Amino acid sequence: MNHPLIKLNRYYSYEHYEKVLMEVIEKLPQDFYSFSYLGSSVENRSIFGIRLGHGDFKILAWSQMHGNESSTTRAIIELLQSEKLFEILKSCSLYIIPVLNPDGAQYWTRNNANNVDLNRDAQKLSQPESVILKDVIDFFEPDLALNLHGQRTIYGVEQSVLPCQLSFLTPSADPEKSITKSRVRSMQLINAIATELGSLEAAAIGRYDDSFNINCWGDYCQSLDIPTILFEAGHAGNDYDRSRVVELIKASLITVIENSAKMDKQDTDQITQSYFAIPEVAKNYTDVLLLNLPSVKGKRNIAIMYHEQVVNDHLEFVPMIYVIDDPKILYGHKIIDVSHNQEFENDLIISQDMMVTSESLKINSFIK
């Protein structure tokens, strides 16, 4: 295509997203895609679908079901501009819903405008966005489903000091967590991602818990024998604009698409062993971990999390008290041991709403 890469910031208004999407779509070869208006959100924002390629193996991907999880949508926008997309779709058809929850995307909220978590609405179908997704599943009849999400900064992996920058799950198809044929298929593709990406240097790939909930879309699809992969775009270090994880999600999507229609036959035990060897995610991280902070009750360990809020079309990250002296919080994306920090001027301020500031420790709100 040879055009400058069009990107989205971590937060974008839905109107800006639509503008960027249209610019990207207009640059695609006309015989390569079809573009559809699928319906409207609670607040009457448009929801679009894009079908690419003409291959027999059909992949359905939906992103931003939770409005404040934009990394996978950004990866899709960049994937649509990749020359490699034309190569990997020779044997596949890819149907994408880039943003399923446009109202949540606009307001940077997990839920939709009716305050409903769309990922708990697969059975009730109480929301217009849920009905749209169900209609697409029924119409497209995918051979593979990709449920694209983003995760908070609280995740590391078990028995490791590394934060979890990517995590995956093959959802369960029943309460017994049976190893069905569709689960094995999606396990095999997750293993391919782990092999392809290898080491993430200062981060890790994790595996989500597979407890069954038929109200969740991944579990619902898997119960229909549709191999399904849950993607979770995570966080590591100071990457609060999530630019690095966008690259990794894009690479993961390419790996899945490349391998989806041509996986070599493997022994089921070998596939499942490799999959369950991926370490499970653990809620053992915080944004800033203050160690040995002096107080009237002795030295305390304080976990600080950034509260994200939209200010003038940008995300503001506000440091807030998360927990104090919690033994489960082992690591921080930034760790400050006050007892060994000569720059600390005893200027830590905790407001009534639990906001934390310290000029000497450089703990303040910031905007991305």
Side-chain angles (χ1 to χ4, degrees):
M1 286 179 277
N2 297 321
H3 299 288
L5 185 65
I6 301 171
K7 295 187 176 185
L8 288 167
N9 294 325
R10 181 153 177 218
Y11 171 77
Y12 38 81
S13 68
Y14 195 70
E15 291 74 16
H16 181 64
Y17 151 76
E18 284 186 328
K19 177 177 179 294
V20 167
L21 179 65
M22 298 308 174
E23 289 177 2
V24 170
I25 293 296
E26 287 172 1
K27 293 179 171 61
L28 292 171
Q30 291 188 357
D31 62 347
F32 184 69
Y33 77 95
S34 61
F35 183 72
S36 303
Y37 163 77
L38 300 177
S40 297
S41 66
V42 172
E43 294 191 350
N44 205 34
R45 292 183 173 88
S46 299
I47 299 173
F48 302 108
I50 311 158
R51 182 167 182 169
L52 305 117
H54 307 290
D56 294 332
F57 191 88
K58 295 181 292 185
I59 304 171
L60 171 63
W62 64 91
S63 181
Q64 225 162 338
M65 171 176 279
H66 295 144
N68 59 354
E69 298 173 2
S70 65
S71 298
T72 52
T73 302
R74 294 164 63 197
I76 285 171
I77 292 294
E78 296 188 18
L79 177 67
L80 291 174
Q81 300 173 81
S82 171
E83 292 287 351
K84 194 158 189 177
L85 185 63
F86 302 99
E87 302 172 21
I88 61 180
L89 283 179
K90 287 179 180 178
S91 59
C92 299
S93 296
L94 175 62
Y95 198 110
I96 303 172
I97 306 175
V99 175
L100 185 65
N101 181 4
D103 301 336
Q106 177 74 20
Y107 303 126
W108 200 247
T109 57
R110 175 183 175 91
N111 295 350
N112 75 344
N114 285 333
N115 197 28
V116 172
D117 185 340
L118 298 180
N119 203 29
R120 301 296 184 272
D121 198 39
Q123 293 298 298
K124 289 184 179 180
L125 298 176
S126 66
Q127 303 302 303
E129 300 92 343
S130 304
V131 173
I132 287 170
L133 179 56
K134 177 65 162 56
D135 288 346
V136 170
I137 292 170
D138 291 345
F139 168 76
F140 188 58
E141 296 182 333
D143 300 301
L144 175 67
L146 308 179
N147 187 4
L148 309 180
H149 288 267
Q151 68 188 19
R152 297 166 63 195
T153 57
I154 61 175
Y155 290 102
V157 295
E158 290 185 341
Q159 299 180 338
S160 173
V161 301
L162 295 177
C164 186
Q165 198 163 31
L166 287 177
S167 53
F168 301 94
L169 170 66
T170 170
S172 295
D174 53 42
E176 293 72 35
K177 306 182 184 180
S178 303
I179 305 300
T180 62
K181 184 178 178 180
S182 66
R183 289 198 77 197
V184 172
R185 180 66 170 162
S186 43
M187 285 178 187
Q188 193 173 17
L189 290 167
I190 292 171
N191 293 343
I193 296 172
T195 299
E196 181 69 24
L197 296 186
S199 171
L200 298 184
E201 298 174 356
I205 295 175
R207 172 175 51 85
Y208 251 76
D209 173 71
D210 59 355
S211 297
F212 179 72
N213 185 346
I214 193 61
N215 299 302
C216 298
W217 283 95
D219 304 60
Y220 168 73
C221 287
Q222 203 85 267
S223 73
L224 299 178
D225 294 324
I226 302 171
T228 304
I229 301 174
L230 177 78
F231 284 61
E232 292 280 358
H235 176 91
N238 198 38
D239 187 28
Y240 284 95
D241 61 1
R242 302 275 176 109
S243 58
R244 174 57 178 154
V245 79
V246 168
E247 297 174 5
L248 295 172
I249 290 291
K250 177 184 171 184
S252 301
L253 289 169
I254 288 173
T255 298
V256 167
I257 296 168
E258 279 184 316
N259 288 278
S260 59
K262 61 175 186 180
M263 292 297 289
D264 296 331
K265 290 186 177 180
Q266 287 181 280
D267 179 73
T268 297
D269 289 342
Q270 180 183 351
I271 294 169
T272 56
Q273 287 172 12
S274 296
Y275 173 74
F276 286 110
I278 298 171
E280 193 167 357
V281 298
K283 295 179 180 179
N284 57 8
Y285 254 84
T286 188
D287 288 307
V288 181
L289 183 58
L290 288 183
L291 301 176
N292 299 311
L293 185 74
S295 76
V296 293
K297 294 185 178 181
K299 293 183 177 181
R300 314 296 296 272
N301 296 332
I302 298 181
I304 297 170
M305 293 291 296
Y306 290 118
H307 170 71
E308 301 171 7
Q309 59 189 28
V310 177
V311 178
N312 297 325
D313 288 334
H314 290 84
L315 274 187
E316 181 179 16
F317 294 79
V318 181
M320 309 284 290
I321 293 289
Y322 180 43
V323 289
I324 298 175
D325 292 334
D326 188 333
K328 296 187 296 295
I329 305 301
L330 303 176
Y331 313 108
H333 297 286
K334 181 178 181 181
I335 299 176
I336 303 172
D337 189 335
V338 176
S339 64
H340 293 93
N341 191 299
Q342 297 180 351
E343 297 180 358
F344 181 50
E345 298 177 358
N346 200 26
D347 60 348
L348 191 80
I349 299 173
I350 301 175
S351 65
Q352 287 186 341
D353 62 0
M354 306 306 284
M355 179 180 171
V356 185
T357 58
S358 168
E359 292 297 328
S360 65
L361 298 179
K362 298 181 175 58
I363 300 174
N364 289 292
S365 299
F366 62 91
I367 289 178
K368 286 287 187 182

